[in-house]
Amino acid sequence: MAPTCLLCWVCSLLCVWSVVMGHPCSLDHQGWANCSGKTLQHAPSSLPRNITSLDLSFNSLVMPHHRTLLQHFPSLHSLNLSSNAKLTLSPAVFSNLRALRLLDLSSCSISYIHMDTFKGLGNLHTLLLRNNSLQELDVPFLLPLKALFHLDLQHNALVSVDTWSLQLMETVPQVRLEGNPWACDCSVHPLQQWLRRRRAVQVTCVSPPGLRGQEITALDSQDLGCQIEQRFARELNTTQQITVTESNTTALPAGKGGRSWPYLVGFLVTAIGISILIALAAKCKLAHKNFASYRHRPLPEISSIGGRPMEDSSSWDRGSCGSHSIADAADLQAEDDDGFIEDNYIQPSEQLPTKEELELHRSI
């Protein structure tokens, strides 16, 4: 009975002391202070310095902006700040609570956490952030939490989480993500793989409507629409690589690489124009040769009387036709200078008379 009476006497003494000191919190002999639901705006400064647990939930606390919270409680192991709607977390606001093991920030309407908010909490074991308004995770806030074992992010406004954040959360053994409005499209695939490695359950989709309520780990890539999107992404990457390669091939010296395409177009137009001019020149030369080769005149006809050709000087009138025969001969000589000889140019009807035909004419 003596130990029981002693315990009651200590509790009574703590209560009387708290009333005398003017704070509304209740204390027990184990160093626990209950200040819940007292409409406090600031933490009581009159609490004993050796307390180990402090409950400040369901108040209207206003967090300091340029100094730390609870500066005089170096032995505090557990701090409950849940259900304080006006709570705003500034950088390093808990940096003096180096012995803290549990921090409850549930239902505080927190929408953003600065990466230095939990600076100094190297011994923190449990961090409760459920029922807040976090839409994205600036997960570097986990970096100072070297000993973190349990992270509760249930019932926030998280739609997706990036790969780097998942890698940082990989070091935390227990992470709760249920109750968030996860969008189950192809971007949720890294989260799906992460949940499967942890064998997490009850993390369900909210959108699209066709997948609402289904567990993320049970979906396949076709359900997430990844098959078409991944193929399109591969084709897009291939096109980009080809474009980059072509740009590097035709790039100008440093400082002008971004405007190299006008020079490339000018080069192509010039090359095409030169090719067309060369083709036209070659075609004109060939046409000139063909035209010149067909300007030959037929050979003079062979007289069928007397068996001598008509160009023989004895059968022509030297007076009236002499000038014409000389001019024709000169023309023939000039035209034969090109060395062109046509095959079968003398028609069969114009060939020389045979011996029988000459004898027949003589007999007549």
Side-chain angles (χ1 to χ4, degrees):
M1 294 296 296
T4 305
C5 293
L6 180 61
L7 180 61
C8 293
W9 182 79
V10 171
C11 292
S12 300
L13 182 61
L14 289 173
C15 291
V16 171
W17 182 80
S18 64
V19 171
V20 172
M21 294 302 294
H23 61 74
C25 304
S26 59
L27 304 172
D28 66 1
H29 68 285
Q30 296 180 348
W32 179 70
N34 184 6
C35 304
S36 178
K38 305 298 183 179
T39 64
L40 299 174
Q41 292 186 352
H42 304 282
S45 58
S46 57
L47 291 172
R49 292 175 58 88
N50 60 348
I51 61 173
T52 57
S53 297
L54 178 59
D55 187 354
L56 290 170
S57 61
F58 294 97
N59 284 288
S60 301
L61 293 180
V62 178
M63 301 292 282
H65 293 286
H66 303 292
R67 57 188 179 88
T68 57
L69 178 70
L70 304 172
Q71 299 181 17
H72 306 294
F73 302 96
S75 301
L76 198 62
H77 291 170
S78 175
L79 177 60
N80 185 357
L81 298 175
S82 63
S83 300
N84 282 273
K86 299 180 180 180
L87 206 62
T88 302
L89 302 179
S90 57
V93 69
F94 304 109
S95 59
N96 60 308
L97 303 176
R98 298 186 180 276
L100 198 64
R101 300 272 296 167
L102 184 149
L103 178 59
D104 191 350
L105 295 171
S106 303
S107 304
C108 292
S109 302
I110 299 173
S111 59
Y112 173 74
I113 299 177
H114 191 274
M115 62 180 299
D116 292 329
T117 295
F118 303 116
K119 186 177 180 180
L121 299 182
N123 292 315
L124 192 68
H125 179 273
T126 302
L127 177 59
L128 306 179
L129 290 167
R130 61 174 175 259
N131 296 319
N132 281 294
S133 303
L134 294 172
Q135 297 182 356
E136 59 182 11
L137 293 179
D138 189 9
V139 181
F141 74 77
L142 295 176
L143 293 176
L145 307 178
K146 305 297 182 182
L148 190 63
F149 184 85
H150 181 84
L151 176 62
D152 192 342
L153 293 168
Q154 297 181 83
H155 302 287
N156 276 273
L158 298 174
V159 177
S160 62
V161 60
D162 58 88
T163 305
W164 186 44
S165 299
L166 292 173
Q167 291 176 353
L168 290 178
M169 289 194 297
E170 197 74 49
T171 60
V172 183
Q174 295 180 3
V175 180
R176 303 294 299 274
L177 296 173
E178 296 89 341
N180 286 281
W182 298 109
C184 292
D185 52 18
C186 196
S187 64
V188 83
H189 184 68
L191 175 61
Q192 182 188 55
Q193 300 301 316
W194 187 85
L195 293 172
R196 285 176 178 175
R197 288 195 301 271
R198 293 187 164 238
R199 299 180 180 178
V201 295
Q202 297 180 353
V203 181
T204 59
C205 305
V206 173
S207 62
L211 299 178
R212 185 181 182 88
Q214 297 191 34
E215 291 192 10
I216 296 177
T217 55
L219 301 175
D220 55 23
S221 58
Q222 187 174 1
D223 294 328
L224 299 177
C226 290
Q227 185 173 2
I228 297 176
E229 292 186 12
Q230 288 178 352
R231 183 178 62 186
F232 175 75
R234 287 196 298 268
E235 293 176 354
L236 182 60
N237 290 334
T238 303
T239 305
Q240 290 176 347
Q241 291 176 0
I242 294 173
T243 304
V244 170
T245 303
E246 292 178 350
S247 299
N248 292 335
T249 304
T250 60
L252 293 175
K256 298 183 179 179
R259 294 176 292 178
S260 60
W261 65 269
Y263 298 93
L264 177 60
V265 173
F267 173 77
L268 293 176
V269 171
T270 304
I272 294 173
I274 293 175
S275 301
I276 293 175
L277 290 176
I278 293 174
L280 290 175
K283 188 173 182 181
C284 290
K285 186 175 180 181
L286 182 60
H288 177 71
K289 284 186 177 182
N290 292 335
F291 179 73
S293 65
Y294 282 101
R295 289 180 60 192
H296 294 285
R297 295 181 179 180
L299 293 175
E301 295 182 358
I302 303 302
S303 174
S304 59
I305 302 173
R308 292 185 179 182
M310 293 179 63
E311 67 272 15
D312 194 353
S313 57
S314 59
S315 62
W316 293 92
D317 186 357
R318 299 182 185 271
S320 62
C321 299
S323 60
H324 293 288
S325 61
I326 294 173
D328 292 341
D331 291 339
L332 290 173
Q333 182 66 27
E335 293 175 355
D336 290 337
D337 287 343
D338 60 357
F340 184 84
I341 300 176
E342 292 184 351
D343 295 335
N344 297 326
Y345 197 83
I346 300 175
Q347 299 298 326
S349 61
E350 298 176 355
Q351 294 179 358
L352 296 175
T354 60
K355 185 176 180 180
E356 289 79 2
E357 292 176 347
L358 291 176
E359 293 179 356
L360 179 61
H361 285 292
R362 288 192 186 117
S363 61
I364 295 173

